[in-house]
Amino acid sequence: MTAPAPPVAPRPFRVRWLGRVRYRDALALQKGIHEHGADDHLLLLEHHAVYTLGVRAGTRNLLAPPDEVGADLECADRGGDVTFHGPGQLVGYPLLHLPGKRGGGMADTVAYVRSVEDLLIGVCRDLGLDDVGRLHPYPGVWVEPDGPNPRKVAAIGVRLTRARTMHGFALNVDPDLSYFDRMVPCGIAEHGVTSLAAEGVDITMADVVDLVVERA
């Protein structure tokens, strides 16, 4: 009689708060962990002001030069169009090993994105922002998604390769929203951007970080 295989030990999950980091430095750290890290990680941080372009994005949705407002411009190997990162915005980079469908093959990108959305929707509801959810067909988390004025409070842009994740989410806690006026966020011209603060949620970045870590 063949003995049952021993249970597989769970992979360590390490959460790190990095403070304020330039985008290119955080990207280099992601790549290093992706290439060489054996554990799962969640990097939480703020960025210095930067506009980033996804793999298929051009500059057509940038409405003014970033250097006019002291922001950097960087290319990113993630999905999506142009987005902004800056102080007052919580950025999360989950670097995870994802199993493929039915235990093999390619990981399910759509299911992974929805899981990140679920985490952020839960955090928003923990903070009393109840009317949040998805707005088809756009990824991210939206306030009043079924109302006359849906507005994005969290953006998501990810990359999956070799069953590992990179990039992640950006939750607007209390950033300077005027930076978003200088672009077409994620290429979506018909809907606006908001923040927890703009929706009346008075909370510190540290408290938002604690809620994200608890749910993650």
Side-chain angles (χ1 to χ4, degrees):
M1 181 175 179
T2 303
V8 177
R11 190 184 303 276
F13 179 59
R14 307 186 186 280
V15 180
R16 299 170 64 184
W17 167 251
L18 301 180
R20 192 169 297 175
V21 183
R22 290 204 174 276
Y23 184 83
R24 64 188 65 178
D25 296 331
L27 182 58
L29 177 59
Q30 282 193 77
K31 289 180 176 179
I33 293 174
H34 184 272
E35 290 293 326
H36 306 293
D39 299 339
D40 287 339
H41 295 260
L42 174 60
L43 308 181
L44 296 170
L45 59 141
E46 293 178 90
H47 280 308
H48 297 272
V50 59
Y51 294 91
T52 70
L53 303 173
V55 290
R56 290 179 294 278
T59 57
R60 63 190 180 282
N61 287 321
L62 275 174
L63 306 180
D67 57 8
E68 287 186 357
V69 289
D72 295 328
L73 178 63
E74 300 282 356
C75 294
D77 54 351
R78 57 161 174 80
D81 203 284
V82 60
T83 194
F84 171 78
H85 299 306
Q89 182 190 73
L90 176 60
V91 175
Y93 294 132
L95 302 164
L96 310 175
H97 296 73
L98 288 190
K101 298 177 183 178
R102 301 182 184 88
M106 295 183 64
D108 189 335
T109 304
V110 173
Y112 171 61
V113 169
R114 291 183 70 86
S115 73
V116 177
E117 291 170 342
D118 284 341
L119 183 151
L120 297 175
I121 289 169
V123 168
C124 289
R125 290 176 177 168
D126 289 342
L127 296 171
L129 196 60
D130 294 324
D131 193 359
V132 294
R134 298 178 176 89
L135 181 66
H136 183 77
Y138 307 119
V141 177
W142 297 78
V143 177
E144 298 182 352
D146 299 319
N149 181 32
R151 48 212 181 269
K152 183 183 284 189
V153 71
I156 295 175
V158 303
R159 181 185 180 197
L160 271 71
T161 178
R162 294 182 301 180
R164 298 286 302 275
T165 70
M166 285 184 62
H167 303 287
F169 65 83
L171 174 62
N172 295 332
V173 179
D174 189 15
D176 181 351
L177 293 178
S178 68
Y179 281 104
F180 292 91
D181 296 334
R182 306 178 71 85
M183 67 175 187
V184 180
C186 301
I188 304 171
E190 63 268 34
H191 301 304
V193 173
T194 190
S195 67
L196 296 178
E199 299 298 326
V201 177
D202 183 14
I203 190 168
T204 67
M205 179 66 73
D207 286 339
V208 178
V209 168
D210 287 344
L211 285 172
V212 169
V213 171
E214 180 179 345
R215 282 191 168 270

